Amino acid sequence: MQNKEVAQRVRLFMETCRRHQLKITPQRVGIYRVLIQSKRHPTADLVFRAVQKEFPNISFDTVNRTLSTFAEIGVVDVVETFGGPKRFDPNITDHHHLHCMACGRIIDFEYEGYARLEVPKTIATTFKVISRRVVLKGLCDTCSAKQQMF
């Protein structure tokens, strides 16, 4: 991610914090920077270890609570996991996930057909859908190739 793009996203993040009356601290900005620069959908622990390099006195609890707050104000999403720790996604645009059941990797993808899925009328009358996300579980190409070797 380019420095210009990081700066733009941090600026939008700070605007969102102000709208939600959330104090903008160097630690919160640092946590957000780690999230948006991650190539994965990190756990709170991964974010904590990365942020701790810049803020050695920060606690895991602070990072974990901050990530939950970020999800509440809509700057990150909590990713669907299957038995593992919560993972966080700074990509809040509509997209879908491939979830490797062997290595745990989560891969973003877009598919217009999934974005247009029709909500059944029985659900639409009792539930207001605000977002659609399809999660496909399986094996990534690396794990699939490893299994074929045996």
Side-chain angles (χ1 to χ4, degrees), residues 91-111:
N91 179 358
I92 56 172
T93 63
D94 286 337
H95 67 282
H96 309 287
H97 289 143
L98 303 170
H99 190 143
C100 180
M101 300 309 292
C103 69
R105 193 166 132 210
I106 298 172
I107 304 161
D108 291 346
F109 76 99
E110 293 179 19
Y111 177 63

Side-chain angles (χ1 to χ4, degrees), residues 31 44 48 57-69:
I31 291 168
F48 168 68
N57 294 328
I58 199 165
S59 71
F60 173 79
D61 187 55
T62 297
V63 172
N64 197 38
R65 282 185 289 111
T66 299
L67 290 169
S68 293
T69 300

Side-chain angles (χ1 to χ4, degrees), residues 10-145:
V10 168
R11 199 169 30 259
L12 292 172
F13 162 74
M14 290 168 57
E15 288 173 13
T16 302
C17 288
R18 285 187 196 97
R19 277 197 314 276
H20 290 274
Q21 289 85 42
L22 186 64
K23 188 176 178 184
I24 300 166
T25 65
Q27 293 85 353
R28 284 183 176 147
V29 173
I31 291 168
Y32 186 71
R33 280 182 186 277
V34 166
L35 278 169
I36 63 173
Q37 292 177 317
S38 175
K39 304 230 185 295
R40 303 168 10 172
H41 297 78
T43 63
D45 186 57
L46 286 173
V47 174
F48 168 68
R49 285 189 270 145
V51 170
Q52 200 176 31
K53 293 172 185 170
E54 186 178 352
F55 301 99
N57 294 328
I58 199 165
S59 71
F60 173 79
D61 187 55
T62 297
V63 172
N64 197 38
R65 282 185 289 111
T66 299
L67 290 169
S68 293
T69 300
F70 288 177
E72 287 171 19
I73 67 170
V75 294
V76 300
D77 281 332
V78 177
V79 177
E80 312 77 11
T81 57
F82 304 98
K86 278 187 204 174
R87 306 217 359 222
F88 298 89
D89 189 351
N91 179 358
I92 56 172
T93 63
D94 286 337
H95 67 282
H96 309 287
H97 289 143
L98 303 170
H99 190 143
C100 180
M101 300 309 292
C103 69
R105 193 166 132 210
I106 298 172
I107 304 161
D108 291 346
F109 76 99
E110 293 179 19
Y111 177 63
E112 187 63 33
Y114 290 159
R116 290 191 315 260
L117 282 176
E118 196 171 318
V119 177
K121 289 181 187 193
T122 56
I123 292 173
T125 59
T126 60
F127 191 84
K128 182 179 179 181
V129 175
I130 57 172
S131 177
R132 291 178 176 93
R133 179 172 288 160
V134 172
V135 178
L136 301 177
K137 298 188 317 185
L139 298 176
C140 68
D141 50 357
T142 303
C143 292
S144 183

